[in-house]
């Protein structure tokens, strides 16, 4: 019974005896049957059991939570699952990098305008100095590129 | 044989006859045994078969590619898998939002300084106008917050 009075959600679904040392019991309590049902549907009980056995006990809660997250994402989006979220976030990063580069370029433009001697004010000296980091960041931005789900899957670990 | 001369990578690994209408054959060719081995280890052949059967044929290639991506991520990071990538990207989005808000605030500051009458140049009128969008974006940024793997898993679809 995994230490509790009723079998854990996993053993209940799999219709088997819940042993005292059941590997699922600490993470799949009987009052939340959906949590196990969803990871079982996507990963399978046998694979989850193997994955948990290969991890130290203190990392198993995080592993179960990430498996539940992935399984939910796969249920919600059967084609792309979690990869859809990764693609969306990569696009967001690209857009923000572009907006930031434009803002930094705008700052440089204003500062350079201020430093140029004006016809009406040849003695005007602004207090703000040109920020070389802005220019460097602006120049390095040209190496970035936009992404899509397809490119995410072609370059699996380019994030 | 899935239409080819040798059994597909899936049937070879599962040691079964590769039928002409094998559901795996179009996506797991015999010359790439690792591709099937990794998704089989994480999701199980039976689950992959069910997932593919539930999808229209034209979406199955993308589904297989996203499953391979997820399985690779899980092999690389057995605790967090793809969720580690999502967390990393969410942190990157938060940092970029903060940098963008700071850059936009800097633009506003410079523009407001330019509009203030200077003791040396009371007639200096800059050409650049204050951008109200920058202020709005800066103010709306205060609703954003930093994220972590834990918060990703607590709010599964907050991306």
């Amino acid at each position: 019974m995994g230490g509790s009075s009723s079998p854990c959600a996993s053993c209940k679904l799999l219709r088997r005896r819940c042993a005292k040392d059941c590997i699922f019991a600490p993470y799949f309590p009987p009052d939340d049957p959906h949590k196990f049902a969803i990871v079982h549907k996507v990963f399978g009980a046998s694979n989850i059991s193997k994955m948990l056995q290969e991890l130290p006990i203190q990392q198993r809660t995080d592993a179960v939570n990430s498996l539940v997250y992935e399984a939910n994402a796969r249920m919600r989006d059967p084609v792309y699952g979690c990869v859809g979220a990764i693609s969306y976030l990569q696009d967001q990063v690209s857009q923000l990098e572009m907006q930031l580069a434009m803002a930094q370029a705008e700052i440089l433009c204003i500062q350079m305008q201020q430093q140029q001697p004006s016809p009406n004010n040849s003695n005007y000296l602004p207090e703000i100095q040109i920020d070389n980091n802005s220019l460097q960041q602006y120049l390095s931005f040209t190496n970035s590129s936009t992404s899509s789900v397809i490119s995410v899957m072609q370059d699996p670990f380019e994030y």
Side-chain angles (χ1 to χ4, degrees), chain A:
Chain A
M1 300 287 171
S4 73
S5 57
S6 59
C8 75
S10 322
C11 293
K12 206 170 177 183
L13 189 88
L14 301 170
R15 295 184 184 198
R16 64 181 198 183
R17 195 177 64 82
C18 191
K20 202 181 169 185
D21 61 347
C22 170
I23 195 160
F24 296 124
Y27 318 105
F28 300 103
D31 60 353
D32 189 3
H34 180 72
K35 188 180 176 188
F36 183 75
I38 204 161
V39 290
H40 176 51
K41 190 173 161 65
V42 173
F43 298 98
S46 166
N47 284 347
I48 301 163
S49 170
K50 278 183 214 156
M51 286 189 232
L52 292 180
Q53 275 167 343
E54 285 168 10
L55 290 173
I57 289 172
Q58 66 273 20
Q59 292 192 302
R60 291 182 189 173
T61 301
D62 281 353
V64 166
N65 287 342
S66 74
L67 289 167
V68 171
Y69 180 96
E70 269 188 65
N72 272 308
R74 180 64 56 182
M75 290 291 102
R76 205 172 57 129
D77 182 350
V79 180
Y80 297 108
C82 259
V83 183
I86 290 172
S87 169
Y88 174 85
L89 286 164
Q90 283 187 334
D91 283 348
Q92 219 182 334
V93 166
S94 292
Q95 281 176 25
L96 284 165
E97 281 178 335
M98 194 164 61
Q99 286 172 15
L100 180 60
M102 285 172 73
Q104 287 169 335
E106 194 177 338
I107 291 168
L108 277 179
C109 274
I110 300 169
Q111 288 171 333
M112 286 169 93
Q113 274 185 330
Q114 284 181 331
Q115 287 198 331
Q116 275 171 0
S118 158
N120 299 329
N121 175 36
S122 56
N123 295 320
Y124 179 71
L125 290 170
E127 286 173 23
I128 301 150
Q129 299 300 307
I130 287 179
D131 175 17
N132 285 326
N133 287 331
S134 305
L135 183 60
Q136 278 181 334
Q137 275 188 271
Y138 177 67
L139 294 174
S140 69
F141 172 72
T142 53
N143 294 325
S144 302
S145 62
T146 55
S147 61
S148 69
V149 176
I150 304 305
S151 71
V152 168
M153 292 189 295
Q154 282 170 345
D155 301 312
F157 302 120
E158 291 295 321
Y159 58 80

